[in-house]
Amino acid sequence: MLFFDAEIEGGGSSKFKSFGGNEGFLKGMETAFSDYVANVTEGLAGLTDIVQNQQKQMVGIDTAAKNILRSMGGIADFTGKGSDRAGEFRRTLSDALSLSLKFGGSMKDVQEAAAGLAEGMGRMVNPSAVFLKDIIATGKAFGLTNKEVTKMVTDLVRMGGTQEEALQTMRGIADEARRAGVNTAAYMKAVQGGLKMAGGFGFKNGIEGLKTMAKQAAMLRTSIESIGAKGLQQKILDPEGAIEAAAGFQMLGGAIGKLGDPFQLLYMAQSDMAGLQDELAKSTASAFKFNKATGTFDASTQDLYRLRQQAELTGANLDDMIESGREMAKLDFISKSVDLSNLDEAQQGVLSSLAQIDKDGKVRVDIPGIE
């Protein structure tokens, strides 16, 4: 409040003698008012940005909903009942976005999850907001893209079960990977890549046999295709092909095990693909021996020629086969050097993944916090 000092001078008349308050006070008032106006202006600008961003987001949701509906049903009807369907789908996407924001999800993630389901199922789908959120969360947790998650979900559904059960299966696979000490993303992708194969010959136990193959491939830091069982299977599904392949393995020599028996080959191709892959991995590993002079695992020239012929028989890549063979030779060396009999398979896998072999052939296990 401003105060005015006045002095009475005769006749009851008055005049201002001075203007109360100093010049600094008035300047302060002026500055404060200017700052207030500036802050209000800035606040209104920020609020405008928020409103515009929300409008853009709503337009994005609306566009995404329409695009996905068109992809699922051709030219979508957005009037009448079609409008109701589009509105319901928009709400689903909006709710999924709200749920996904908590762990870093975006509108792009929601759109990819919904579009991936539609593409994978090849028909109209109506997923819940919670299920879309679970797809996005699964991908972020396991290092997979939304497309990879939806592809695996739809492939699992084709084998039987619901979409929710498919996600539960994926979580179980990820848990197995962690317990076995293998890379979760690599293990999941290996299972995903073999799901169609698991529906045919060689998998009497369904996906369980495929998981065994994928786990072994992940531990060997390779893929199912690189070990060669998938390529060999196509050649030995009939007696003639099995006999020819067995003769080829017999000519190679080395530790061929069951690979030299045509009846065993035929059986494994028809009912035990995991066993067939294990036999091939053992045969490859047998080519490598620990070289005390160099501290490395090496294969002789003769064994390398044998592996080249094995690669031709199975259709596998020779370089990949050599690398996986060396890895399995290391795992065999570790298992023979350390008594793992009191550990279960998962614990053995973790220990093997932590173990290293020094140049003296000593096995060392590096556990964080323990020397």
Side-chain angles (χ1 to χ4, degrees), residues 1-64:
M1 178 179 293
L2 293 177
F3 295 93
F4 299 92
D5 291 335
E7 181 180 357
I8 306 296
E9 294 184 357
S13 64
S14 66
K15 66 178 181 179
F16 292 116
K17 180 179 180 182
S18 63
F19 188 69
N22 54 45
E23 184 178 354
F25 178 76
L26 292 176
K27 290 291 184 183
M29 287 287 292
E30 180 182 355
T31 301
F33 184 73
S34 298
D35 290 344
Y36 171 76
V37 173
N39 289 335
V40 169
T41 303
E42 183 180 350
L44 289 173
L47 181 61
T48 301
D49 290 340
I50 292 174
V51 172
Q52 289 177 344
N53 288 335
Q54 289 179 334
Q55 289 176 337
K56 289 179 181 179
Q57 191 176 72
M58 293 305 296
V59 171
I61 292 174
D62 183 69
T63 303

Side-chain angles (χ1 to χ4, degrees), residues 81 146 237 358:
K81 293 182 179 180
N146 295 313
L237 278 172
D358 66 17

Side-chain angles (χ1 to χ4, degrees), residues 103 133-146 149 170-171 174-175 178 183-185 188:
F103 51 84
K133 178 264 297 181
D134 287 343
I135 288 177
I136 298 167
T138 299
K140 292 187 179 299
F142 304 146
L144 302 173
T145 65
N146 295 313
V149 175
M170 292 178 67
R171 295 188 190 104
D175 288 339
R178 285 192 288 265
N183 182 276
T184 302
M188 295 276 282

Side-chain angles (χ1 to χ4, degrees), residues 31-331:
T31 301
F33 184 73
S34 298
D35 290 344
Y36 171 76
V37 173
N39 289 335
V40 169
T41 303
E42 183 180 350
L44 289 173
L47 181 61
T48 301
D49 290 340
I50 292 174
V51 172
Q52 289 177 344
N53 288 335
Q54 289 179 334
Q55 289 176 337
K56 289 179 181 179
Q57 191 176 72
M58 293 305 296
V59 171
I61 292 174
D62 183 69
T63 303
K66 289 181 178 180
N67 288 340
I68 295 170
L69 287 172
R70 287 191 182 99
S71 69
M72 291 188 293
I75 301 176
D77 175 18
F78 298 112
T79 61
K81 293 182 179 180
S83 177
D84 294 337
R85 183 180 69 174
E88 180 183 352
F89 198 59
R90 275 195 300 271
R91 287 190 291 273
T92 297
L93 298 185
S94 179
D95 291 343
L97 176 60
S98 297
L99 294 171
S100 302
L101 288 173
K102 299 175 183 178
F103 51 84
S106 65
M107 186 61 221
K108 181 182 178 183
D109 290 322
V110 174
Q111 185 174 355
E112 288 176 349
L117 281 177
E119 180 181 351
M121 299 301 293
R123 58 179 172 79
M124 179 70 182
V125 295
N126 187 28
S128 68
V130 173
F131 185 66
L132 290 176
K133 178 264 297 181
D134 287 343
I135 288 177
I136 298 167
T138 299
K140 292 187 179 299
F142 304 146
L144 302 173
T145 65
N146 295 313
K147 187 172 183 179
E148 287 171 335
V149 175
T150 54
K151 178 71 167 58
M152 191 166 183
V153 166
T154 53
D155 285 346
L156 285 169
V157 168
R158 286 193 177 95
M159 296 183 69
T162 65
Q163 294 176 353
E164 288 76 10
E165 290 171 342
L167 274 183
Q168 290 176 2
T169 298
M170 292 178 67
R171 295 188 190 104
I173 293 172
D175 288 339
E176 290 178 10
R178 285 192 288 265
R179 289 198 301 270
V182 299
N183 182 276
T184 302
Y187 183 31
M188 295 276 282
K189 290 177 181 179
V191 174
Q192 176 197 3
L195 282 174
K196 288 186 177 180
M197 178 175 65
F201 287 108
F203 296 92
K204 62 181 179 181
N205 294 326
I207 194 175
E208 293 303 317
L210 175 61
K211 285 159 61 177
T212 299
M213 295 176 68
K215 187 185 302 182
Q216 183 181 47
M219 290 186 69
L220 299 180
R221 297 180 176 86
T222 188
S223 65
I224 291 175
E225 289 77 11
S226 296
I227 299 176
K230 185 176 179 180
L232 179 61
Q233 183 199 35
Q234 305 303 316
K235 301 178 180 180
I236 58 175
L237 278 172
D238 57 76
E240 293 79 7
I243 291 171
E244 182 179 348
F249 280 110
Q250 291 171 11
M251 290 289 292
L252 296 180
I256 59 173
K258 297 178 181 179
L259 298 175
D261 185 337
F263 297 104
Q264 288 287 347
L265 281 180
L266 184 60
Y267 168 75
M268 289 188 292
Q270 294 176 343
S271 305
D272 187 17
M273 278 289 285
L276 179 61
Q277 176 175 286
D278 191 50
E279 290 295 318
L280 287 171
K282 289 177 181 177
S283 174
T284 306
S286 68
F288 294 88
K289 302 292 187 293
F290 181 72
N291 187 331
K292 293 183 179 180
T294 62
T296 58
F297 285 81
D298 301 324
S300 66
T301 302
Q302 182 179 354
D303 281 322
L304 288 176
Y305 274 115
R306 177 172 69 82
L307 291 183
R308 189 178 72 169
Q309 294 299 316
Q310 181 172 317
E312 291 181 2
L313 278 172
T314 61
N317 179 275
L318 177 60
D319 293 334
D320 292 338
M321 180 181 288
I322 289 174
E323 289 302 313
S324 64
R326 183 177 284 110
E327 284 297 323
M328 187 155 186
K330 291 180 183 179
L331 295 179

